[in-house]
Amino acid sequence: MRRLIYLDNAASTWPKPPGIADAVKEAITDYGANPGRGSHQLAARAEQTIANTRNRLSQLLGVRDPSNLLFCLNTTHAINLALKGLLREGDHIILTGWEHNAVSRPVEWLKHQLHIEATLISTAENEEWAGRVKQEIRSNTRLIVTIHGSNVTGNTLPIVDIGEVARKHRIYYLVDGAQTTGLLPINLNQLPIDMFAFPGHKSLFGPQGTGGLYVSPHVPLEPIIQGGTGSRSEKLDHPADRPLGFESGTPNTPGIAGLGAGVDFLLKTGVETVYQHEMKLINQLWEGLARIEGINLLSPAPPDLPILSFNIKDVDGIEVAAILDQHYQIAVRAGFHCAALAHQSLGTDNRGAVRVSPGYFNTQKEMEQFLQAIRDISQVF
Ligand SMILES: Cc1ncc(COP(=O)(O)O)c(C=O)c1O
């Protein structure tokens, strides 16, 4: 059987670099104890693993004090913590028409449950994001939340410009870094960002079930889950210290061990090296697709990230993805990519699109195989 070509790295990267599975296995087989719940050697080793990953991640992301980096299950969990731990009844927030539903759905929930007001910035004016954000600021605006890179088009937003507007108006700024963490250089100590949500299982090469939230020291974030920490166990009240007050219950020690190995791989290989390789592949795809008759690329120019979406004539994307999977052994993602807002912004909310996202272990030859498959399919319809 032909080897499967995996082009769905924007969902979760795969395969993982060497060393990730070994680190997970070692955590399970050599020291599967509960960190923070005991003083014996195995518990101490588990705790050390978590501290090591937190420290190395802090090094990669420019976090000065690692205790401000909170482990979460994934980006969605991190965004929910940021929104629900900060916003209070009557607050106003600003978000964009490119957000993933990891942002838009909790915002909808907060609108109904906490009477939060939300302003969605349409993308018609997307040439001037910072100016548009500024126009929407009100006296009760507490938070601006934007995606860093779109999981549909692969394009980025000017987070520095938006963050500077937020700083000037003393409004907190939360960035959804799901598609950029590990791919673009990020120095949270220097960026005008107050909270940054990220996955461990995408470009940090960690296992699924890992992610995190960076919270700047001055943000008055409250935990949204109480109990389950081993710290100050004699007290009834839940502590709000970072990081432990925000990491209730037994953590995903094997996952965090694997994430540490993923960060090591990135630190050794270099974020820029990974990015350049993946961009070479996406540019090849963009140029190849642009030459095929009947292809409608959702990005009019090559994207900023190794992600692009397209449609073949008026063929349903789900059908294209199924043909690629079953006849060509190529894995892509079709539909709405958990991003109804982005598809509304693009005018594809009636049909979605096919998304292709190569990763560090894909080759130019595989891109050519993908393009040939699309040429074949487009001729049938
Ligand atoms: C832009 C964006 N935000 C949030 C998420 C949710 O990430 P997770 O699966 O880590 O919760 C994704 C996942 O693809 C994403 O692309």
Side-chain angles (χ1 to χ4, degrees), residues 30-78:
D30 291 8
Y31 60 99
N34 204 310
R37 306 290 167 85
S39 51
H40 54 76
Q41 307 170 32
L42 288 191
R45 183 153 173 214
E47 202 159 335
Q48 193 55 51
T49 294
I50 291 176
N52 285 345
T53 301
R54 205 186 306 276
N55 291 341
R56 281 175 293 182
L57 255 176
S58 298
Q59 184 190 340
L60 182 78
L61 300 178
V63 172
R64 197 182 277 161
D65 175 359
S67 58
N68 292 314
L69 211 154
L70 315 173
F71 284 121
C72 297
L73 291 174
N74 45 50
T75 325
T76 307
H77 177 198

Coordinates of all heavy atoms in Angstrom, one line a residue, residues 30-78:
D30 N 8.7 4.5 33.7 CA 9.7 4.7 34.7 C 9.3 5.5 35.9 O 10.0 5.3 37.0 CB 10.9 5.4 34.0 CG 11.6 4.5 33.0 OD1 11.1 3.4 32.7 OD2 12.7 4.9 32.5
Y31 N 8.4 6.4 35.8 CA 8.1 7.2 37.0 C 6.6 7.7 36.9 O 6.4 8.9 37.1 CB 9.0 8.4 37.1 CG 9.0 9.3 35.9 CD1 8.3 10.5 36.0 CD2 9.8 9.1 34.8 CE1 8.3 11.4 34.9 CE2 9.7 10.0 33.7 CZ 9.0 11.1 33.8 OH 9.0 12.0 32.7
G32 N 5.7 6.8 36.8 CA 4.3 7.2 36.6 C 3.6 7.7 37.9 O 2.4 7.4 38.0
A33 N 4.3 8.4 38.7 CA 3.7 8.8 40.0 C 3.0 10.2 39.8 O 3.2 10.8 38.7 CB 4.8 8.9 41.1
N34 N 2.3 10.6 40.9 CA 1.6 11.9 40.8 C 2.4 13.0 41.3 O 2.8 13.1 42.4 CB 0.3 11.7 41.7 CG -0.8 12.6 41.3 OD1 -0.5 13.8 41.1 ND2 -2.0 12.1 41.1
P35 N 2.7 14.0 40.4 CA 3.5 15.1 40.8 C 2.8 16.0 41.8 O 1.6 16.2 41.7 CB 3.8 15.9 39.5 CG 2.6 15.5 38.6 CD 2.2 14.1 39.0
G36 N 3.5 16.6 42.7 CA 2.9 17.5 43.6 C 2.0 16.9 44.7 O 1.4 17.6 45.5
R37 N 1.9 15.6 44.7 CA 1.0 15.0 45.7 C 1.8 14.2 46.8 O 1.3 13.5 47.6 CB 0.0 14.0 45.1 CG -0.8 14.7 44.0 CD -1.8 15.7 44.6 NE -2.3 16.5 43.5 CZ -3.4 16.1 42.8 NH1 -4.0 15.0 43.1 NH2 -3.9 16.9 41.9
G38 N 3.1 14.1 46.6 CA 3.9 13.3 47.5 C 5.3 13.7 47.5 O 5.8 14.4 46.5
S39 N 6.1 13.4 48.5 CA 7.5 13.8 48.5 C 8.4 12.7 48.1 O 9.6 12.8 48.2 CB 7.8 14.3 49.9 OG 7.4 13.4 50.8
H40 N 7.9 11.5 47.7 CA 8.8 10.4 47.4 C 9.5 10.6 46.1 O 9.1 11.6 45.3 CB 8.0 9.1 47.4 CG 6.8 9.0 46.5 ND1 6.9 8.9 45.2 CD2 5.5 9.1 46.8 CE1 5.7 9.0 44.7 NE2 4.8 9.1 45.7
Q41 N 10.4 9.8 45.8 CA 11.3 10.0 44.7 C 10.6 10.1 43.3 O 10.9 10.9 42.4 CB 12.3 8.9 44.5 CG 13.1 8.6 45.7 CD 13.9 7.3 45.5 OE1 14.4 7.0 44.4 NE2 14.1 6.6 46.6
L42 N 9.6 9.2 43.2 CA 9.0 9.2 41.9 C 8.1 10.4 41.6 O 8.1 10.9 40.5 CB 8.1 7.9 41.7 CG 8.9 6.6 41.6 CD1 7.9 5.5 41.2 CD2 9.9 6.7 40.5
A43 N 7.4 10.8 42.7 CA 6.6 12.1 42.6 C 7.5 13.2 42.3 O 7.2 14.1 41.4 CB 5.9 12.3 43.9
A44 N 8.7 13.2 42.9 CA 9.7 14.3 42.7 C 10.1 14.3 41.2 O 10.3 15.3 40.6 CB 10.8 14.2 43.6
R45 N 10.3 13.1 40.7 CA 10.8 13.0 39.3 C 9.7 13.5 38.3 O 10.0 14.2 37.4 CB 11.2 11.6 39.0 CG 11.7 11.5 37.6 CD 12.7 10.3 37.4 NE 13.0 10.3 36.0 CZ 13.3 9.2 35.3 NH1 13.2 8.0 35.9 NH2 13.5 9.3 34.0
A46 N 8.5 13.2 38.6 CA 7.4 13.6 37.8 C 7.3 15.1 37.8 O 7.1 15.8 36.8 CB 6.0 13.0 38.2
E47 N 7.4 15.7 39.0 CA 7.4 17.1 39.2 C 8.5 17.8 38.5 O 8.4 18.9 37.9 CB 7.4 17.4 40.7 CG 6.9 18.8 41.0 CD 6.5 18.9 42.5 OE1 6.2 17.9 43.1 OE2 6.4 20.0 43.0
Q48 N 9.7 17.2 38.5 CA 10.8 17.7 37.8 C 10.6 17.8 36.3 O 11.0 18.7 35.6 CB 12.1 16.9 38.2 CG 13.4 17.5 37.7 CD 13.6 18.9 38.3 OE1 13.4 19.1 39.5 NE2 13.8 19.9 37.5
T49 N 10.0 16.7 35.8 CA 9.7 16.7 34.3 C 8.8 17.9 33.9 O 9.0 18.6 32.9 CB 8.9 15.4 34.0 OG1 9.8 14.3 34.2 CG2 8.4 15.4 32.6
I50 N 7.8 18.1 34.8 CA 6.9 19.2 34.5 C 7.6 20.6 34.6 O 7.4 21.4 33.7 CB 5.6 19.2 35.4 CG1 4.8 17.9 35.0 CG2 4.8 20.4 35.3 CD1 3.6 17.6 35.9
A51 N 8.4 20.7 35.6 CA 9.2 22.0 35.7 C 10.1 22.1 34.5 O 10.3 23.3 34.0 CB 10.0 21.9 37.0
N52 N 10.8 21.0 34.1 CA 11.7 21.1 32.9 C 11.0 21.6 31.7 O 11.5 22.5 31.0 CB 12.3 19.8 32.6 CG 13.4 19.4 33.7 OD1 13.8 20.3 34.4 ND2 13.8 18.2 33.7
T53 N 9.8 21.0 31.4 CA 9.1 21.4 30.2 C 8.6 22.9 30.3 O 8.8 23.7 29.4 CB 7.8 20.5 30.0 OG1 8.2 19.2 29.9 CG2 7.0 20.9 28.8
R54 N 8.2 23.3 31.5 CA 7.8 24.7 31.7 C 9.0 25.6 31.5 O 8.8 26.7 30.8 CB 7.2 24.9 33.2 CG 6.3 26.0 33.3 CD 5.8 26.3 34.7 NE 5.3 25.2 35.5 CZ 4.0 24.8 35.5 NH1 3.2 25.5 34.7 NH2 3.6 23.8 36.2
N55 N 10.1 25.2 32.0 CA 11.3 26.1 31.8 C 11.7 26.2 30.3 O 12.0 27.3 29.8 CB 12.5 25.6 32.6 CG 12.2 25.8 34.1 OD1 11.4 26.6 34.5 ND2 12.9 25.0 34.9
R56 N 11.7 25.0 29.6 CA 12.1 25.1 28.2 C 11.2 25.8 27.3 O 11.5 26.5 26.4 CB 12.4 23.6 27.7 CG 13.7 23.1 28.2 CD 13.9 21.7 27.9 NE 13.0 20.9 28.6 CZ 13.0 19.5 28.5 NH1 13.8 18.9 27.7 NH2 12.1 18.8 29.2
L57 N 9.9 25.6 27.6 CA 8.8 26.4 26.9 C 9.0 27.9 27.1 O 8.9 28.7 26.2 CB 7.5 26.0 27.4 CG 6.6 25.1 26.6 CD1 5.3 24.7 27.3 CD2 6.3 25.7 25.2
S58 N 9.3 28.2 28.4 CA 9.5 29.7 28.7 C 10.7 30.2 27.9 O 10.7 31.3 27.4 CB 9.8 29.8 30.2 OG 8.6 29.4 30.9
Q59 N 11.7 29.4 27.8 CA 12.9 29.8 27.0 C 12.5 30.0 25.6 O 12.8 31.1 25.0 CB 14.0 28.7 27.1 CG 15.3 29.0 26.4 CD 16.2 27.7 26.4 OE1 16.0 26.8 27.2 NE2 17.1 27.7 25.5
L60 N 11.7 29.1 25.0 CA 11.3 29.2 23.6 C 10.4 30.4 23.4 O 10.5 31.1 22.3 CB 10.6 27.9 23.2 CG 10.1 27.9 21.7 CD1 11.3 27.5 20.8 CD2 9.0 26.8 21.5
L61 N 9.5 30.7 24.3 CA 8.5 31.8 24.1 C 8.9 33.1 24.7 O 8.1 34.0 24.7 CB 7.1 31.3 24.6 CG 6.6 30.0 23.9 CD1 5.3 29.6 24.6 CD2 6.4 30.2 22.4
G62 N 10.1 33.2 25.3 CA 10.5 34.4 25.9 C 9.7 34.8 27.1 O 9.3 36.0 27.3
V63 N 9.3 33.8 28.0 CA 8.6 34.1 29.2 C 9.6 34.2 30.3 O 10.4 33.3 30.6 CB 7.6 32.9 29.5 CG1 7.0 33.1 30.9 CG2 6.5 32.8 28.5
R64 N 9.6 35.4 31.0 CA 10.7 35.7 32.0 C 10.5 34.8 33.2 O 11.4 34.2 33.7 CB 10.6 37.2 32.3 CG 11.9 37.6 33.0 CD 11.9 39.0 33.4 NE 12.2 39.9 32.3 CZ 11.9 41.2 32.3 NH1 11.3 41.7 33.3 NH2 12.3 41.9 31.3
D65 N 9.3 34.7 33.7 CA 9.0 34.0 34.9 C 8.1 32.7 34.6 O 6.9 32.9 34.3 CB 8.3 34.8 36.0 CG 7.9 34.1 37.2 OD1 8.2 32.8 37.3 OD2 7.4 34.7 38.1
P66 N 8.7 31.5 34.5 CA 7.9 30.4 34.1 C 6.7 30.1 34.9 O 5.8 29.4 34.4 CB 8.9 29.2 34.3 CG 10.3 29.8 34.3 CD 10.1 31.2 34.9
S67 N 6.5 30.7 36.1 CA 5.3 30.4 36.8 C 4.1 31.1 36.2 O 2.9 30.7 36.5 CB 5.4 30.8 38.3 OG 5.7 32.1 38.4
N68 N 4.3 32.0 35.2 CA 3.2 32.6 34.5 C 2.8 31.8 33.3 O 1.9 32.2 32.5 CB 3.6 34.0 34.1 CG 3.7 34.9 35.3 OD1 2.8 34.9 36.2 ND2 4.8 35.7 35.4
L69 N 3.4 30.6 33.1 CA 3.0 29.8 32.0 C 2.3 28.6 32.5 O 2.8 27.8 33.3 CB 4.3 29.3 31.3 CG 4.2 29.1 29.8 CD1 5.6 29.3 29.2 CD2 3.7 27.7 29.6
L70 N 1.0 28.6 32.2 CA 0.1 27.6 32.9 C -0.2 26.4 31.9 O -0.6 26.7 30.7 CB -1.3 28.3 33.2 CG -1.1 29.6 33.9 CD1 -2.5 30.3 34.1 CD2 -0.4 29.5 35.3
F71 N -0.1 25.2 32.3 CA -0.4 24.1 31.4 C -1.9 23.9 31.3 O -2.6 24.0 32.3 CB 0.3 22.8 31.9 CG 1.7 22.8 31.6 CD1 2.7 22.6 32.6 CD2 2.2 22.9 30.3 CE1 4.0 22.6 32.3 CE2 3.6 22.8 30.0 CZ 4.5 22.7 31.0
C72 N -2.4 23.6 30.1 CA -3.8 23.4 29.8 C -3.9 22.1 29.0 O -2.8 21.6 28.5 CB -4.4 24.6 29.1 SG -4.4 26.1 30.0
L73 N -5.1 21.7 28.7 CA -5.3 20.5 27.9 C -5.0 20.8 26.4 O -4.7 19.9 25.6 CB -6.7 20.0 28.0 CG -7.1 19.4 29.4 CD1 -8.6 19.1 29.4 CD2 -6.3 18.1 29.6
N74 N -5.3 22.0 26.0 CA -5.2 22.4 24.5 C -5.5 23.9 24.5 O -5.7 24.6 25.5 CB -6.3 21.6 23.7 CG -7.6 21.6 24.4 OD1 -8.1 22.7 24.8 ND2 -8.2 20.5 24.6
T75 N -5.5 24.5 23.3 CA -5.7 25.9 23.1 C -7.1 26.3 23.6 O -7.3 27.4 24.2 CB -5.6 26.3 21.6 OG1 -4.6 25.5 21.0 CG2 -5.3 27.8 21.5
T76 N -8.1 25.5 23.3 CA -9.5 25.8 23.6 C -9.6 25.9 25.1 O -10.3 26.9 25.6 CB -10.4 24.6 23.1 OG1 -10.2 24.4 21.7 CG2 -11.9 25.0 23.4
H77 N -9.0 25.0 25.9 CA -9.0 25.1 27.3 C -8.4 26.4 27.8 O -8.9 27.2 28.6 CB -8.3 23.9 27.9 CG -8.2 23.9 29.4 ND1 -7.3 23.0 30.0 CD2 -8.8 24.5 30.4 CE1 -7.3 23.2 31.3 NE2 -8.3 24.1 31.5
A78 N -7.2 26.7 27.2 CA -6.5 27.9 27.6 C -7.3 29.2 27.3 O -7.4 30.1 28.1 CB -5.2 28.0 26.8

